[in-house]
Amino acid sequence: MSKHHDNHSASELLEEGKFRSTGRDEKKYSKKDDAYTRYMKLIFCFLGLQVSYVLWGLVQEYLMTQEYAAGKFKSSAFCVFGNRFLALLISLGIVLFNRATSTSPPKEAPFYTYAPASLSNTLSSWAQYEALKFLSFPTQTLSKSCKIIPVMLVGVLLNNKTYPLGEYAEATLITIGVTMFSISERSAPSNSMHDDSGFGVFLLALYLCCDSFTSQWQSKVYKDYGVDQYQMMLGVNIWSMLMTGITLYMSGEFFSSFAFILADATALKHMIVLSVTSATGQLFIFYTLKEFGPVVFTIIMTTRQIFSLFFSLLLFGHTISAVGWVSIIAVFVVVFNRLYRGGKD
């Protein structure tokens, strides 16, 4: 699961009751101690998600856009493979620990049911890395706000969900804001290595659609088989390792990419940071959702987008026009208004 791709599915997991109480709610704390504990947990979750995903985004941008001593790193598939490797080991350890300590037999889903989510998850992750060769990081980051559109469409088609007209209006406004930003990026002078291109927009659309399918399919598996989030994490990552491993071997990219990072210590460090932050990010997602629910989690992740934009502008020298800034503000106003209404509901 990327971070970006496991967020929505974990939210639905919470809403469907798959996150179990740890029993701490039954303990009798004083109100003061309980409030202090909650604040400390919230700070822990906030910092964990921000550090994991802001750092992940910055390293991702550097890895895919900047020159190393041996040239540019070219394999997006190898980045996906590296991300999944550590996540697989961690999820395997958690699943084995849970089974060893559980008194009841675990629920199981057929192994093949994880394959569709893994395929779409792998494609979305690959497209996200690849898009950075053709789009600026600010464009990609802001465009993730459009994820609501394919999520709604796939929800209607796959799970027969219905949404109020207000949500369609908000989705339309977000799309208009992102489109205005993208157009302003193309017309404004830029210090980045490349300008936004049509193929980059296609890759971004592929990322959004595949990511949305992933969350909806995972929701279906949770509902049908009752597995927990770590079983899902393990099953999807096993399939993803198989898919990316075979693809890398067949294309010859595995050995060339491995040789590249071994020959360049900076590239190796960046690959390690990507893998670690991807895995820790997934764990913080589940913990935050369990403790505070989807609204608080989504607010934290939306502020993460703002921090990612800020640090990318600061470190990589992107320039944004006045129209671009207006578009950014408009998109985040709509997103936070949506979160505010969701919190009241």
Side-chain angles (χ1 to χ4, degrees), residues 68-71 73 78 254-269 271:
Y68 289 93
F73 186 79
F78 191 85
F254 180 83
F255 299 106
S256 60
S257 299
F258 198 67
F260 185 100
I261 64 173
L262 288 181
D264 193 303
T266 302
L268 177 60
K269 290 177 184 176
M271 188 62 65

Side-chain angles (χ1 to χ4, degrees), residues 5 24 27 34 139 141 146-147 173 183 194 202 235 313:
H5 44 269
R24 287 190 292 268
K27 295 181 180 180
D34 186 57
T139 298
T141 300
C146 290
K147 190 187 296 186
L173 289 173
I183 293 173
H194 48 69
F202 165 76
L313 294 173

Side-chain angles (χ1 to χ4, degrees), residues 279-292:
T280 57
Q282 290 184 45
L283 296 177
F284 273 110
I285 285 174
F286 290 130
Y287 183 73
T288 304
L289 283 166
K290 183 181 73 173
E291 293 291 336
F292 298 101

Side-chain angles (χ1 to χ4, degrees), residues 149-275:
I149 300 170
V151 165
M152 292 168 67
L153 292 176
V154 176
V156 170
L157 296 174
L158 189 63
N159 291 325
N160 296 318
K161 291 189 174 182
T162 58
Y163 300 92
L165 290 176
E167 295 200 18
Y168 287 103
E170 289 172 339
T172 301
L173 289 173
I174 290 173
T175 303
I176 292 173
V178 172
T179 302
M180 288 174 58
F181 179 83
S182 181
I183 293 173
S184 71
E185 278 279 276
R186 293 189 188 190
S187 59
S190 175
N191 296 325
S192 62
M193 299 295 293
H194 48 69
D195 295 322
D196 293 352
S197 70
F199 185 63
V201 173
F202 165 76
L203 288 171
L204 198 56
L206 177 64
Y207 156 72
L208 291 171
C209 291
C210 288
D211 199 45
S212 302
F213 175 84
T214 301
S215 63
Q216 295 289 350
W217 184 267
Q218 287 177 324
S219 178
K220 180 177 173 63
V221 174
Y222 286 132
K223 183 178 180 180
D224 291 346
Y225 299 101
V227 296
D228 65 30
Q229 64 269 31
Y230 302 112
Q231 289 173 287
M232 177 67 72
M233 187 175 172
L234 177 61
V236 169
N237 282 318
I238 290 175
W239 276 108
S240 296
M241 287 286 292
L242 290 173
M243 293 176 186
T244 55
I246 292 173
T247 301
L248 286 167
Y249 179 78
M250 295 294 290
S251 66
E253 289 185 15
F254 180 83
F255 299 106
S256 60
S257 299
F258 198 67
F260 185 100
I261 64 173
L262 288 181
D264 193 303
T266 302
L268 177 60
K269 290 177 184 176
H270 287 166
M271 188 62 65
I272 293 173
V273 170
L274 273 182
S275 297

